[in-house]
Amino acid sequence: MRRSRGAAALLALSLTATGAGVGLALAPQAAAVTPPVAFTADALSTWQPNGVVWALAEAGGQVFAGGTFSTVRPPAGGAGSEQQAVNFVALDAATGAPTSCELSFTVASGTATVRALALSPDKSTLYAGGYFGAVNGTAVSSLAAVDVASCTVKTAFRPAFAATVRALAVTGDTVYAGGDFLTVAGQPRQRFAAVGATDGALKPFTADADEPGRAVEVTPDGQNVVLGGDFFTVNGTNTHALAVVDAASGALTKAYPGFIETNSVVKDIATDDTGFYTANEGTGGGVFDGRIALDLPGFGQRWRDTCLGATQAVLPYQKVLYSASHAHDCSSVGEFPDGQRHHLLAQPTTGTGKLGWAPDTNDGIGEGIGPRVMTVGSKNGVQYLWVGGEFTTVNGAAQQSLTRFASTGDTGAPTVPVAGAVSFRPGEVQVRWRTSLDLDDSALTYKVYRNGAATPIATVTADSLFFKRPQASWTDTTVAAGQSYTYRVTATDAAGNTSALSATATVTVPTTVDGYPNQVRADGATQYWRYDESALPFVADSSAGGNRAGVHLNAPALRQTPGAVSGASTAIGFNGTDTQVYGDHRQTVGSTYSIETWFRTNTTRGGKLFGFGNNQSRGSNQYDKHIYMTNNGRLVYGVYTGATRTVTTATAYNDNAWHHVVATQGPGGMTLYVDGVQKGTLAVTTHENFSGYWHAGGDSLGGWPDRPTSEYWAGQLDESAVYPTVLSAAQVQNHYALATAPADSVVQVTAAEDTYANAGAPGTNYGSSSSLAVRGTSFYASYLRFDLPTAPAGTVLKSATLGVKTSTMSGAGTTDTVSVVPVTGAWSEGGTTYTNRPSLGAPALGAYPGIPDGSAVHTATLTTGSVAAALGGSLGLALTSPGTDALWLWSSEAQANEGTPQLTLTFGAP
């Protein structure tokens, strides 16, 4: 439903290990940052003004900043003292510190300000425009020329502008100005004028506008001037906010009537050898706030970026358009929905798609706009992107009004991946993670480590952006049924900066197929949220390759038990106030689909269980294809076709029991099932077509029949899936039945006691040691005791594995076979020595056929019958070997043990 008119997962995966990675395209070749971006996102140390920077220019390794300020001070935390800088400061491009060039721009009454800076083509003269009456005491009138080499005012240049100059462009013999003025040197010139570059004498150029001029640029061939501002006419002709005029006369070359919305203006214009680019700002509803690219020649539109968020500056550099704005809604170009403001963006000069460069500022002081101007400076072979404005933070750290980014020296590591692992069938583990954020690299390399090994088992490349952090995954096909495995993931950028390891994800491979999730995948789910995560904010997609993950919002309750289906799967709990899960994958929904979820609640306030909306963390203003509950507990399935069309159950389901709901739409219309039974149909085959995100636990419901008190769900959800097909009645019934079918359950038991005996120290007890040791000559043996549970009702032990972890000491592994044998004699962790060590039984219950060096977890399959005989009691095991190569392991007392020594017991139906 549309209440008011107001990120596709790009993956590029490759792998270098046994298994399978999932993705869409190959990643670009690695570089210092991901091409074509030219700058890192790491803000460099820069002196900072105490006000607003409106203008920047660069010459000879110096960057000139003009604005409304009175002093500059060292970077946050830097040494030094505040220095006077009256509306102007010159800084070293490479160090960010003030140079010896000092100019003061003042005025007799009012507030002086510098609003525009531009250099002559040979960069010998700096032109400054704004509102001021003197520079270092030399009388001027809102436009001055400064000799760059000597940092002195050129007194021969004496134009007289009667009001603020806001924009400048310079050729070899002409200075073009735009602003608020109506006269220059006493002659009529409304908002735009041209003066001689040497003497400031007024030129015949006449391009009179009815409202202020804010931007002026000369085309590369020097034949035309592009004007931008608030105006609606130029030389009496209708052309709002943008015009192209003849460089000599000012006569219109190209008018743009109706091209830009009437409540939007042009704040900046920049050119390159292919065209020019506008920065637009709007006020009110239906505004244009984005960027436009126009070609040369012809001046026609190449593309239009309709992101909302007041663009202040544009800068093309090496085929990339950098922009300063506070973009908060780019959904109209298929990117992020309305929400957080993003102040610095980059995109190719050929299109609107955002690139992997997104350092950020805050809105700051003054109007709360953030960054307002950009320029590129160069020194000693390094390029620096300088940004000025009214911000007070950069990348979350204190820094006012000026910052800069270099073309080299990327030091920022990607964020730590959030990883998980799952196994639905013998011989296969799906490792998946939310891709990391790196503000100047979109192509990252991920390494997957198994069982704590130092060498990765897989390498995967994947793309991510600040608004697109899709799930990446890799399938391990070298695992054994009944054994437990741990996985950790790191992310590395093009410069080699590597994140910390992710938290450990542990999984036990089932001995038989897990019926319910396996069937959901087999029936073609392209999004499958099982809600088994133990940490925020990543909700993994367990479908077979969909990689359409979700994000927790406002911390819903995790790992709620019991879940809806048999086995170890858990549910998620929502508070009915503000918690939900939203999709991280922007998509459209075809004419055929199915929605499936399990739910449990006793709420009397209703709420949305699951549905599709055009926003993520904010309430959507387009929303349908959803299932919600009324206050009295009935379920409603609805779509929007220009009117709300719904199917409603006659029965209430807020009885605090688990229920299964499926909603389908296709050529046969709409069908609603609850607990495997059809509850209603409607001959409606269409719905609202828009791009958006799936939501669980809440989203907008305004305008829908029997609208509940709450739009948010108070209760639990489990096993939410979306299909691109219509599930048949038989499939729905099969899913409902499989939920209660017996499934393997896994119990992990850590050692209650562990120690080792050492023939070299026959009377010493090692019960408090962090290590265990095994060797035949001279003799070491390790002893482990596990307190075992009884088998769950109706199940038997199907497999048992013993996991141990080698220590980090050199040579901790062994080339000898290590046997796992039963302990028949009495012993205790605190009392056992070599002298009183217990007797051992036979045969061996399992073995490790050699363990390589390097700290990692290793598992051995044990004889099921022998372990089953000890269920409900105590099981003693010993690790022995015949050779001379010692094995060193972490004991249960060691912090690095990853829960080892550990028995993993799998129970299932007889």
Side-chain angles (χ1 to χ4, degrees):
M1 179 180 184
R2 188 187 305 270
R3 185 162 65 192
S4 64
R5 196 162 183 86
L10 299 177
L11 289 178
L13 306 180
S14 63
L15 40 139
T16 58
T18 302
V22 182
L24 301 178
L26 291 177
Q29 184 176 359
V33 292
T34 302
V37 170
F39 302 98
T40 79
D42 303 325
L44 300 177
S45 175
T46 309
W47 279 58
Q48 45 192 334
N50 64 346
V52 179
V53 171
W54 296 99
L56 292 171
E58 182 273 343
Q62 285 190 102
V63 171
F64 307 107
T68 312
F69 50 85
S70 59
T71 64
V72 291
R73 64 189 186 276
S81 59
E82 192 171 65
Q83 298 180 15
Q84 179 176 288
V86 183
N87 302 313
F88 176 89
V89 64
L91 301 134
D92 187 283
T95 68
T99 69
S100 60
C101 178
E102 297 181 5
L103 300 172
S104 293
F105 288 75
T106 57
V107 69
S109 63
T111 301
T113 184
V114 175
R115 292 300 180 109
L117 294 171
L119 286 149
S120 59
D122 63 3
K123 293 196 174 185
S124 66
T125 303
L126 173 69
Y127 296 91
Y131 177 69
F132 47 83
V135 181
N136 282 1
T138 299
V140 292
S141 184
S142 294
L143 180 61
V146 176
D147 180 69
V148 172
S150 63
C151 190
T152 58
V153 177
K154 291 188 171 184
T155 56
F157 182 82
R158 297 293 296 272
F161 282 80
T164 303
V165 173
R166 298 183 180 275
L168 294 172
V170 185
T171 65
D173 60 3
T174 304
V175 177
Y176 296 92
D180 301 348
F181 51 86
L182 299 178
T183 63
V184 178
Q187 300 299 311
R189 291 292 190 274
Q190 298 179 17
R191 280 87 185 203
F192 293 99
V195 298
T198 302
D199 57 7
L202 184 65
K203 293 203 168 191
F205 176 91
T206 302
D208 290 342
D210 60 334
E211 294 291 343
R214 297 186 182 273
V216 56
E217 279 290 329
V218 181
T219 56
D221 61 7
Q223 299 302 304
N224 292 281
V225 179
V226 187
L227 311 178
D230 302 2
F231 52 82
F232 291 88
T233 64
V234 172
N235 292 338
T237 299
N238 179 15
T239 179
H240 174 53
L242 183 66
V244 181
V245 298
D246 181 79
S249 68
L252 270 171
T253 302
K254 173 78 173 180
Y256 293 90
F259 184 67
I260 294 173
E261 285 78 350
T262 58
N263 55 351
S264 296
V265 302
V266 170
K267 298 297 290 289
D268 188 29
I269 298 172
T271 62
D272 63 11
D273 58 359
T274 66
F276 62 94
Y277 308 86
T278 70
N280 294 76
E281 177 185 79
T283 56
V287 302
F288 173 56
D289 261 351
R291 294 155 288 283
I292 304 173
L294 298 103
D295 286 322
L296 294 174
F299 312 117
Q301 179 173 295
R302 182 190 310 163
W303 51 257
R304 180 178 292 224
D305 185 335
T306 53
C307 288
L308 296 176
T311 306
Q312 302 297 307
V314 286
L315 176 65
Y317 182 76
Q318 294 184 357
K319 307 302 182 183
V320 172
L321 184 69
Y322 299 88
S323 59
S325 70
H326 57 254
H328 58 85
D329 185 353
C330 287
S331 57
S332 61
V333 290
E335 296 173 334
F336 52 90
D338 193 16
Q340 178 182 347
R341 289 183 168 192
H342 304 280
H343 296 85
L344 295 169
L345 300 174
Q347 61 200 96
T349 55
T350 55
T352 63
K354 304 305 179 291
L355 299 170
W357 184 82
D360 204 12
T361 73
N362 64 354
D363 290 343
I365 59 176
E367 296 178 41
I369 294 293
R372 288 185 174 272
V373 62
M374 298 181 293
T375 196
V376 173
S378 177
K379 191 169 185 180
N380 300 327
V382 178
Q383 286 70 47
Y384 300 90
L385 175 62
W386 284 71
V387 178
E390 57 195 59
F391 48 85
T392 58
T393 66
V394 178
N395 291 342
Q399 176 68 25
Q400 184 171 347
S401 299
L402 274 176
T403 190
R404 60 201 178 96
F405 308 94
S407 60
T408 187
D410 181 14
T411 60
T415 59
V416 180
V418 181
V422 68
S423 182
F424 301 120
R425 64 182 72 183
E428 184 177 292
V429 169
Q430 182 194 49
V431 185
R432 62 276 179 96
W433 58 93
R434 189 185 191 199
T435 47
S436 297
L437 174 63
D438 190 291
L439 295 179
D440 46 32
D441 285 282
S442 56
L444 300 176
T445 299
Y446 299 88
K447 293 181 180 179
V448 182
Y449 297 85
R450 187 173 76 178
N451 288 349
T455 302
I457 191 173
T459 299
V460 176
T461 59
D463 281 358
S464 58
L465 296 169
F466 65 93
F467 61 92
K468 288 181 185 177
R469 294 180 58 191
Q471 175 176 294
S473 62
W474 174 76
T475 300
D476 189 351
T477 57
T478 64
V479 293
Q483 292 198 18
S484 292
Y485 298 86
T486 64
Y487 297 89
R488 303 182 79 179
V489 182
T490 63
T492 303
D493 67 14
N497 302 303
T498 300
S499 74
L501 284 161
S502 70
T504 300
T506 302
V507 64
T508 300
V509 182
T511 58
T512 57
V513 171
D514 195 347
Y516 184 90
N518 189 68
Q519 195 61 51
V520 169
R521 289 159 57 94
D523 285 342
T526 53
Q527 179 177 299
Y528 183 19
W529 296 343
R530 300 205 73 198
Y531 309 117
D532 291 338
E533 292 75 29
S534 57
L536 302 168
F538 173 58
V539 182
D541 177 13
S542 294
S543 69
N547 281 319
R548 297 179 177 181
V551 178
H552 297 112
L553 180 64
N554 296 324
L558 306 182
R559 300 201 59 82
Q560 302 289 287
T561 57
V565 301
S566 58
S569 183
T570 59
I572 189 170
F574 299 98
N575 63 12
T577 303
D578 62 358
T579 56
Q580 64 164 292
V581 171
Y582 61 81
D584 212 11
H585 176 78
R586 181 182 172 91
Q587 59 187 292
T588 56
V589 180
S591 59
T592 300
Y593 64 89
S594 298
I595 306 167
E596 176 178 38
T597 195
W598 288 78
F599 67 94
R600 182 172 70 173
T601 189
N602 59 3
T603 185
T604 57
R605 301 177 69 247
K608 184 179 289 192
L609 284 72
F610 201 86
F612 194 71
N614 71 331
N615 219 321
Q616 288 181 304
S617 58
R618 295 188 180 186
S620 298
N621 54 38
Q622 288 177 273
Y623 41 93
D624 76 335
K625 299 175 282 296
H626 52 204
I627 301 166
Y628 63 93
M629 180 175 278
T630 64
N631 289 343
N632 61 8
R634 294 181 301 153
L635 293 177
V636 181
Y637 162 41
V639 300
Y640 186 69
T641 62
T644 58
R645 307 302 301 273
T646 59
V647 179
T648 305
T649 65
T651 305
Y653 294 95
N654 55 346
D655 56 1
N656 215 30
W658 279 112
H659 296 284
H660 178 234
V661 58
V662 177
T664 71
Q665 187 179 29
M670 300 165 60
T671 305
L672 178 64
Y673 301 88
V674 181
D675 294 338
V677 178
Q678 186 184 110
K679 295 297 182 179
T681 61
L682 190 64
V684 173
T685 60
T686 61
H687 54 76
E688 189 171 13
N689 185 21
F690 60 92
S691 295
Y693 310 85
W694 289 105
H695 294 254
D699 197 14
S700 303
L701 277 170
W704 284 81
D706 296 317
R707 181 183 178 185
T709 301
S710 175
E711 294 181 338
Y712 288 88
W713 171 251
Q716 295 177 337
L717 293 179
D718 202 2
E719 308 292 329
S720 300
V722 179
Y723 305 79
T725 59
V726 172
L727 292 179
S728 67
Q731 287 174 308
V732 172
Q733 291 162 6
N734 185 36
H735 289 197
Y736 181 65
L738 283 171
T740 56
D744 287 356
S745 61
V746 176
V747 177
Q748 292 178 320
V749 184
T750 55
E753 293 187 283
D754 58 11
T755 187
Y756 75 97
N758 177 4
T764 302
N765 171 260
Y766 294 94
S768 61
S769 172
S770 63
S771 296
L772 301 173
V774 182
R775 186 171 62 194
T777 306
S778 62
F779 179 87
Y780 297 146
S782 291
Y783 306 96
L784 317 172
R785 175 178 287 117
F786 298 91
D787 296 329
L788 303 186
T790 58
T795 69
V796 297
L797 183 67
K798 301 183 72 174
S799 70
T801 61
L802 175 64
V804 296
K805 185 179 182 184
T806 44
S807 75
T808 52
M809 69 181 297
S810 177
T814 182
T815 58
D816 299 329
T817 295
V818 176
S819 297
V820 183
V821 299
V823 177
T824 57
W827 66 282
S828 68
E829 180 179 284
T832 297
T833 67
Y834 176 79
T835 301
N836 66 7
R837 67 191 185 280
S839 57
L840 305 180
L845 306 185
Y848 297 92
I851 293 178
D853 289 343
S855 183
V857 176
H858 300 274
T859 58
T861 301
L862 305 185
T863 304
T864 305
S866 299
V867 178
L871 291 175
S874 180
L875 175 65
L877 300 173
L879 302 178
T880 67
S881 73
T884 59
D885 188 8
L887 171 68
W888 289 92
L889 306 171
W890 292 123
S891 74
S892 58
E893 282 78 16
Q895 291 185 347
N897 62 24
E898 291 195 46
T900 63
Q902 184 179 78
L903 273 179
T904 300
L905 309 176
T906 302
F907 299 95

